[in-house]
Amino acid sequence: MIQLGEHGAVLLQAQDVCKTYHLGETSVQALQHVDLEVREGEFLALAGSSGSGKTTLLNLFGCLDRPTSGRILVAGTDVAKLDPDALAEFRAATIGFIFQTFNLFPVLSARENVEYPMLLNKTPAPEREKRAKEALERVGLARFLDHRPDQLSGGQRQRVAIARALVKRPKIIFADEPTANLDKKTAVEVLTLMRDLNSSEKVTFVFSTHDSMILSLASRIFHMSDGRQVAAPETPHAH
Ligand SMILES: Nc1ncnc2c1ncn2[C@@H]1O[C@H](COP(=O)(O)OP(=O)(O)O)[C@@H](O)[C@H]1O
Ligand SMILES: [Mg+2]
């Protein structure tokens, strides 16, 4: 595992968090009494098989949903105490997201996709263009500014999504299975880029995966099963 040196202050806290989804008559306990602290500078992986609660936990930390019980604190703020406007502002200023399916606008160029979050927060056009270009250069896409997503490979699309998350200079980026739609080699390249950004730009990353090769790039692993933290599963012996 990679040693990233000392980590900073506590940035995220889940305190005794439970999340229950109701589906008609039945209910699903997606998270059961989860406690987790993430410090500034970590490159933390949430690991677990499908259905273990990874996306639910990322969505709670990302303020996209609320816990059924327990508390979520982001940068010391109890997000349940923010009204919707304050929450939206806080989220836009503090948090970036990267998704499994990239979530780019198909009709927009790479540059326009990256400019989009700055359009929402009314950054002036020259500043927008400059920052989008810089972010795309930072992820190795200087030659692809005007390409649309369908003119890019999967790995390149995810790099655009990373640039888009980065351009707001968030404290933290959440990435839900960012490599699930990439081949192994590209997956490692994308994760390595995220790790480089983690150390150079001082962005904390929390990502989910069930790929053991990707897990080896994490600074720490939070193993989950059935909505709870579990000990690391034993690795099979090679004979
Ligand atoms: N919106 C939802 N409504 C009902 N059940 C859900 C919803 N989202 C997730 N679940 C259930 O919660 C559990 C955890 O899901 P999830 O957090 O998506 O796990 P993972 O990301 O590890 O695959 C699963 O049993 C899933 O079926
Ligand atoms: Mg998931």
Side-chain angles (χ1 to χ4, degrees), residues 215-237:
L215 282 179
S216 63
L217 294 166
S219 64
R220 179 161 67 105
I221 305 174
F222 187 77
H223 292 277
M224 299 178 71
S225 176
D226 283 334
R228 296 174 187 275
Q229 182 181 12
V230 292
E234 281 183 41
T235 41
H237 298 287

Side-chain angles (χ1 to χ4, degrees), residues 53-65:
K54 305 182 297 296
T55 296
T56 301
L57 186 54
L58 285 173
N59 287 349
L60 294 180
F61 274 143
C63 311
L64 298 174
D65 202 357

